[in-house]
Amino acid sequence: MKILHKWIILAGLLLAALISYGYGFSQGIVIFVVLGVALELTFWFGVFGKKQQCNEHPRN
């Protein structure tokens, strides 16, 4: 996946989490707060997830 697409998706996840938090806290609806937590966790795992390893081995 291209880097720009990855960061656009991550920004969308964070924005959706913030919107979900805002709606959940203002209306007192717990499911939106839980959804916000899930979206935020997905964001953070996307930022700090596993690094892709290169298949090339250094030659000696």
Side-chain angles (χ1 to χ4, degrees), residues 22-34:
Y23 186 74
F25 285 132
S26 70
Q27 299 297 317
I29 302 174
V30 176
I31 191 71
F32 282 101
V33 176
V34 172

Side-chain angles (χ1 to χ4, degrees), residues 38-55:
L39 290 169
E40 185 179 357
L41 284 173
T42 305
F43 167 80
W44 286 114
F45 281 122
V47 169
F48 294 112
K50 291 183 180 180
K51 300 278 185 191
Q52 292 181 351
Q53 294 181 358
C54 184
N55 290 334

Side-chain angles (χ1 to χ4, degrees), residues 8-39:
I8 290 172
I9 291 170
L10 289 174
L13 282 171
L14 189 59
L15 180 64
L18 291 172
I19 291 170
S20 181
Y21 280 142
Y23 186 74
F25 285 132
S26 70
Q27 299 297 317
I29 302 174
V30 176
I31 191 71
F32 282 101
V33 176
V34 172
L35 177 63
V37 170
L39 290 169

